[in-house]
């Protein structure tokens, strides 16, 4: 066991996979010599050399296109898109190219690649550098979408993503980079498509992703201490594939469902979960499912305004308390 | 009387290669013409983008390739797919969206892909495949493999960002990729000169990326073949990418729905005087190949096209179980448990 930041866990995960497999290569803007704008890739150039860790121009289409062509022909590329907002300028590759080529070609081709990107708010960067774009990715058949909330999960899910035979969008949360956690020694490989129950409870199920996970956990503590409400907290971890069984099982025990989503409200991942639960576990529910989301708004830059926009611990506590006491 | 393939003094190409290039052009001409006829009979569904008039470009580049070299095509990709040796039946079958098609009807005419022939896909979002070809070339460079990635696109494609990103990227990484612009004078329905800042849409941009401006007569397969050979040799030797602009012309409309009313008067007839197959028949005769040999190729190819047409007409529709197959690598489409 060693204490590691979420940021250093990214480096460790990449290094673990590059050491294991010489076909794993890594490209992106400022990732090699500079070690990444979030310092998530420091030392990789020195360890693996300039043929495997390559700085690119500011050409997001070239980055993702090159990753795809390399993946189709035998490499296992990891491509970094600096901020997840920039996925918008190379969205074609997610929406039309590496997500669909296997299908289009009737199973002839493969695209085993990982797109890593810094997602989410809290850094006061304003509307174009703070978005939570998980719903942009989740809606595309052919992609897998992963978003870890802890250093250990970063290493294990990153390893699983690199080893996965399909294209994976790996959403790192930029506000989680400084958080610390105990990470086991040795190789860590997790399983994509599995949610984790991080706290057991009897009264309500709270599902959360990435930065919303620590907030949901803190809210659950407060709800217990201050209001005697005992919440189960599920870290969804992977939006595609989605571990609905863990969620349905939990709702079957608690009879209430809350989603805590950082993405703007419309078409957020929680809507899909609520719809599945309504479809398949309606009679397990003792009350309406509740989505706690960023409102359907661009994000303001100001710290006070941003904090009032993204779901906070207090907002989660308030919504759960009001719903259950109603 | 059968002669051995000969090579005239100072002839760098030779009879065997010329006959192969001729046959490829005839295959494309006959298959594309048949695709058009089948469309009129409502047997080719969806869309289709023909390369009638552009045969020499596909034949020249494909003939100069080694097995293992990779082709990246656009929706106007039937020609390049056939030129790599994919059967006419598989191509027509895909255009007719039958179960015997190259992708069993799942891709359609715009996405012809045959990995075993090095056809790494036909891409229908303008410009998207230039960076993808860079990635395949990066893999060759990284693994020390000697194949070249060849990327075909139109004049209109030179005005989209991905073209410029890919050129810069390929040059700075010195990738073994060859970019081939088939300048057929139109982007869809608009003359390329009306929407482009320079006269030669690809060649005039080459200098911006430190590349040589190369313009080739796309109606002469020998000229195309020579340009391809030079670019492939440079790529294999570690000399980096090339950008080649081929001047050519499409005889049909942009796609099946287009009557091409926008052509300038007399333009089509003028280009047909320089028909690539006509030019090449004369070339073969000039190099001492007998008319009989040429006629025999024409007859054989027509027979193959006829046979393929009948097989495709008789082929079943794709089965419904294909709908959910091959979304993910496990062969299925499951997005949840
Ligand atoms: C990004 C994008 N924009 C527009 C289109 C629609 N479109 C299809 S083909 C075409 C013209 C392309 O012209 P060119 O590159 O010259 O190729 P050609 O069809 O002449 O071979 C256009 C605009 C598209 N498929 N993708
Ligand atoms: Mg054109």
């Amino acid at each position: 066991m060693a204490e590691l930041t979420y940021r250093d866990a990214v480096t460790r995960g990449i290094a673990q996979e590059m050491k294991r497999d010489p076909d794993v290569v890594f490209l992106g803007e400022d990732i090699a010599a500079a070690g990444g704008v979030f310092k998530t890739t420091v030392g990789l150039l020195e360890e693996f050399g300039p043929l495997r860790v390559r700085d690119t121009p500011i050409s997001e289409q070239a980055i993702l296109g090159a990753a795809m062509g390399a993946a189709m022909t035998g490499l296992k590329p990891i491509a970094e898109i600096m901020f997840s907002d920039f996925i918008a300028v190379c969205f074609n590759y997610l929406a039309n190219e590496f997500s669909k080529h296997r299908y289009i070609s009737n199973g002839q081709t493969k695209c085993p690649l990982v797109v890593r990107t810094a997602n989410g708010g809290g850094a006061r960067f304003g509307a174009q550098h703070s978005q939570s774009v998980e719903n942009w990715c989740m809606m595309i058949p052919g992609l897998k979408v992963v978003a870890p909330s802890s250093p250990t999960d970063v290493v294990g899910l990153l390893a699983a993503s690199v080893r996965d035979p399909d294209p994976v969008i790996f959403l790192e949360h930029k506000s989680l980079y400084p958080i610390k956690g105990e990470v086991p020694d040795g190789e860590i490989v997790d399983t994509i498509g599995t949610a984790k129950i991080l706290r057991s409870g009897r009264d309500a199920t709270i599902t959360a992703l990435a930065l919303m996970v620590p907030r949901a956990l803190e809210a659950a503590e407060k709800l217990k201490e201050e209001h005697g409400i005992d919440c189960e907290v599920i870290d969804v971890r992977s939006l595609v594939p989605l571990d609905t069984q863990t969620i349905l099982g939990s709702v079957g025990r608690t009879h209430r469902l809350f989603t805590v989503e950082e993405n703007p409200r419309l078409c957020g991942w929680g809507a899909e979960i609520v719809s599945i639960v309504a479809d398949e576990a309606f009679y397990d529910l003792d009350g309406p499912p509740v989505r706690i989301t960023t409102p359907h708004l661009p994000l303001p830059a100001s710290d006070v305004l941003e904090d009032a926009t993204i779901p906070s611990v207090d907002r989660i506590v308030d919504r759960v308390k009001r719903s259950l006491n109603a | 009387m059968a002669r051995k393939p000969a090579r005239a003094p100072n002839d760098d190409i030779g009879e065997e290669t010329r006959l192969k290039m001729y046959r490829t052009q005839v295959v494309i001409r006959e298959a594309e013409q048949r695709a058009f006829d089948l469309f009129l009979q409502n047997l080719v569904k969806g869309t289709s983008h023909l390369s009638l008039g552009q045969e020499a470009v596909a034949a020249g580049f494909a003939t100069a390739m080694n097995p293992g070299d990779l082709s990246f095509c656009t929706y106007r990709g039937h020609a390049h797919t056939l030129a790599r040796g994919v059967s006419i039946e598989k191509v027509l079958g895909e255009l007719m969206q039958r179960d015997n098609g190259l992708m069993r009807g799942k891709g359609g005419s715009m996405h012809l892909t045959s990995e075993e022939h090095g056809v790494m896909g036909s891409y229908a979002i303008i410009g998207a495949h230039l960076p993808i070809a860079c990635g395949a070339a990066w893999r060759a460079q990284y693994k020390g493999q000697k194949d070249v990635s060849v990327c075909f696109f139109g004049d209109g494609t030179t005005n989209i960002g991905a073209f410029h990103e890919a050129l810069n990227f390929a040059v700075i990484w010195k990738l073994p990729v060859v970019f081939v612009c088939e300048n057929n004078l139109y982007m869809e329905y608009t003359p390329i000169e009306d929407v482009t800042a320079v006269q030669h849409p690809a060649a005039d941009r080459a200098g911006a990326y430190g590349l040589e401006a190369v313009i080739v007569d796309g109606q002469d397969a020998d000229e195309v073949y020579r340009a391809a050979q030079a670019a492939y040799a440079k790529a294999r030797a570690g000399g980096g990418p090339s950008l080649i602009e081929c001047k050519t012309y499409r005889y049909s409309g942009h796609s099946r729905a287009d009557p091409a009313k926008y052509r300038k008067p007399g333009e089509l007839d003028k280009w047909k005087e320089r028909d690539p197959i006509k030019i090449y028949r004369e070339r073969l005769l000039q190099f001492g190949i007998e008319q009989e040999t040429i006629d025999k190729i024409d007859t054989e190819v027509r027979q193959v096209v006829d046979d393929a047409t009948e097989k495709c007409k008789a082929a079943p529709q794709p089965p419904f179980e294909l709908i959910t197959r091959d979304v993910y690598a496990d062969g299925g489409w499951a997005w949840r448990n």
Side-chain angles (χ1 to χ4, degrees):
Chain A
M1 281 294 211
E3 189 170 71
L4 214 60
T5 60
Y6 185 103
R7 166 184 290 115
D8 291 338
V10 173
T11 326
R12 178 161 151 197
I14 298 173
Q16 174 186 301
E17 293 308 296
M18 292 190 77
K19 249 182 252 165
R20 179 186 59 83
D21 182 351
D23 286 342
V24 179
V25 290
F26 178 35
L27 77 167
E29 293 162 23
D30 298 322
I31 57 117
V37 294
F38 294 104
K39 298 286 168 234
T40 48
T41 59
V42 175
L44 293 174
L45 172 66
E46 290 71 20
E47 187 171 357
F48 299 103
L51 288 179
R52 295 183 70 190
V53 180
R54 291 190 86 161
D55 279 324
T56 68
I58 309 164
S59 300
E60 279 77 9
Q61 298 191 72
I63 293 169
L64 292 195
M68 174 171 170
M72 289 173 83
T73 55
L75 296 184
K76 293 270 221 157
I78 303 172
E80 178 175 309
I81 297 296
M82 191 185 287
F83 283 76
S84 65
D85 315 69
F86 309 164
I87 282 177
V89 303
C90 50
F91 195 55
N92 181 43
Y93 291 91
L94 282 77
N96 290 310
E97 308 298 348
F98 53 67
S99 52
K100 296 191 168 56
H101 212 269
R102 178 186 291 279
Y103 190 84
I104 279 172
S105 69
N106 191 35
Q108 293 178 68
T109 57
K110 56 180 192 290
C111 295
L113 58 87
V114 179
V115 179
R116 291 181 41 243
T117 186
N119 193 43
R124 323 320 188 182
F125 287 159
Q128 296 178 346
H129 288 68
S130 306
Q131 293 173 86
S132 287
V133 305
E134 47 270 27
N135 47 346
W136 296 0
C137 306
M138 188 185 182
M139 66 186 178
I140 301 163
L143 298 182
K144 293 180 178 172
V145 185
V146 173
S149 72
S150 74
T152 302
D153 279 4
V154 165
V155 181
L157 289 174
L158 188 49
S161 300
V162 172
R163 295 176 197 204
D164 198 274
D166 292 307
V168 180
I169 311 300
F170 191 84
L171 300 167
E172 295 161 16
H173 202 293
K174 66 174 84 71
S175 287
L176 290 175
Y177 282 137
I179 68 145
K180 288 183 178 151
E182 289 293 325
V183 179
D185 298 328
E187 188 181 83
I188 308 175
V189 189
D190 208 324
T191 308
I192 296 179
T194 54
K196 244 191 204 164
I197 299 175
L198 296 183
R199 184 187 196 284
S200 308
R202 290 174 289 110
D203 299 330
T205 297
I206 304 178
T207 55
L209 191 78
L211 179 65
M212 297 299 103
V213 172
R215 291 191 185 177
L217 284 168
E218 199 182 325
E221 288 306 315
K222 279 195 168 175
L223 283 159
K224 177 82 181 156
E225 277 164 31
E226 295 168 17
H227 308 285
I229 298 170
D230 187 18
C231 293
E232 184 141 302
V233 176
I234 298 179
D235 182 351
V236 177
R237 303 201 317 153
S238 161
L239 295 175
V240 185
L242 185 63
D243 181 1
T244 60
Q245 293 311 315
T246 297
I247 296 164
L248 288 163
S250 173
V251 172
R253 293 186 298 273
T254 65
H255 311 293
R256 292 303 301 257
L257 172 66
F258 296 84
T259 67
V260 187
E261 302 162 60
E262 191 176 337
N263 49 221
R265 188 169 185 89
L266 300 194
C267 310
W269 56 263
E272 195 54 55
I273 288 179
V274 167
S275 131
I276 290 168
V277 169
D279 233 6
E280 299 172 28
F282 187 72
Y283 296 104
D284 284 342
L285 290 168
D286 284 346
V290 174
R291 292 180 60 208
I292 303 161
T293 75
T294 296
H296 208 60
L297 290 169
L299 283 175
S302 142
D303 53 359
V304 291
L305 299 184
E306 190 185 37
D307 286 343
T309 308
I310 295 172
S312 62
V313 173
D314 288 345
R315 198 195 303 170
I316 300 167
V317 169
D318 180 60
R319 279 306 273 123
V320 173
K321 183 177 54 114
R322 280 196 289 127
S323 294
L324 266 71
N325 291 343
Chain B
M1 203 184 75
R3 281 190 309 113
K4 269 200 166 161
R7 189 182 288 255
N10 302 323
D11 176 20
D12 57 330
I13 294 179
E15 186 171 314
E16 197 182 336
T17 303
R18 280 219 176 77
L19 286 173
K20 194 173 165 202
M21 265 198 292
Y22 178 69
R23 183 182 290 271
T24 301
Q25 292 180 82
V26 176
V27 162
I28 298 167
R29 172 68 51 94
E30 295 294 326
E32 292 284 63
Q33 194 58 57
R34 181 59 50 89
F36 186 72
D37 296 344
L38 289 167
F39 152 59
L40 293 178
Q41 297 166 42
N42 211 21
L43 286 167
V44 163
K45 300 180 208 162
T47 188
S48 61
H49 303 77
L50 306 178
S51 291
L52 292 168
Q54 302 184 201
E55 295 88 347
V57 179
F61 275 97
T63 307
M65 283 182 201
N66 290 343
D69 287 339
L70 303 178
S71 305
F72 293 82
C73 321
T74 69
Y75 50 88
R76 198 180 302 289
H78 318 165
H80 298 291
T81 304
L82 291 164
R84 293 302 306 272
V86 176
S87 80
I88 293 170
E89 183 195 336
K90 292 243 177 223
V91 170
L92 286 180
E94 191 63 29
L95 268 54
M96 291 165 71
Q97 304 176 357
R98 300 294 172 110
D99 200 35
N100 68 337
L102 192 53
M103 297 93 76
R104 300 184 67 187
K106 274 181 86 171
S109 77
M110 296 203 282
H111 298 299
L112 298 178
T113 304
S114 183
E115 199 179 26
E116 64 173 305
H117 294 89
V119 181
M120 294 307 292
S122 304
Y123 298 80
I125 307 297
I126 296 294
H129 61 314
L130 281 84
I132 298 170
C134 288
W138 174 31
R139 178 268 322 153
Q141 180 188 62
Y142 176 70
K143 292 198 164 206
Q145 294 163 342
K146 283 291 163 204
D147 58 282
V148 176
S149 292
V150 188
C151 185
F152 302 96
F153 52 89
D155 44 281
T157 304
T158 65
N159 290 325
I160 203 162
F163 167 86
H164 297 273
E165 289 195 16
L167 280 178
N168 183 60
F169 192 89
V171 169
I172 56 166
W173 285 21
K174 241 184 169 193
L175 296 174
V177 58
V178 177
F179 298 107
V180 181
C181 175
E182 296 185 70
N183 181 358
N184 60 12
L185 310 188
Y186 293 89
M187 54 152 283
E188 229 163 26
Y189 315 141
T190 303
I192 195 64
E193 68 205 29
D194 293 359
V195 291
T196 309
V198 291
Q199 189 191 350
H200 307 292
D204 289 349
R205 265 77 173 254
Y209 302 102
L211 291 171
E212 196 190 334
V214 182
I215 297 180
V216 173
D217 176 0
Q219 303 311 87
D220 185 334
D222 281 359
E223 292 302 311
V224 174
Y225 179 84
R226 289 188 183 106
Q229 271 194 319
Y232 300 166
K234 175 183 162 189
R236 282 191 233 285
S242 301
L243 172 62
I244 299 169
E245 178 172 333
C246 299
K247 295 278 188 219
T248 185
Y249 195 76
R250 65 167 153 73
Y251 295 167
S252 58
H254 164 74
S255 60
R256 61 178 246 171
D258 169 28
K261 295 240 168 74
Y262 43 77
R263 292 186 206 277
K264 295 178 184 81
E267 189 179 72
L268 179 60
D269 292 336
K270 198 187 106 229
W271 276 90
K272 281 191 169 172
E273 285 167 23
R274 299 209 66 248
D275 180 72
I277 291 178
K278 190 175 116 193
I279 289 175
Y280 219 68
R281 283 203 189 107
E282 284 160 15
R283 179 77 38 78
L284 294 180
L285 291 171
Q286 192 189 319
F287 276 90
I289 293 167
E290 281 145 25
Q291 185 67 47
E292 205 179 295
T293 311
I294 300 171
D295 294 344
K296 190 161 164 263
I297 291 174
D298 294 355
T299 315
E300 281 170 9
V301 171
R302 280 189 198 116
Q303 189 60 52
V304 176
V305 171
D306 285 344
D307 292 348
T309 306
E310 291 317 309
K311 280 193 186 137
C312 292
K313 282 181 178 169
Q317 307 288 346
F320 289 115
E321 76 232 29
L322 286 189
I323 295 173
T324 54
R325 208 183 281 171
D326 289 323
V327 178
Y328 293 106
D330 62 6
W333 67 301
W335 54 272
R336 58 170 287 195
N337 61 6

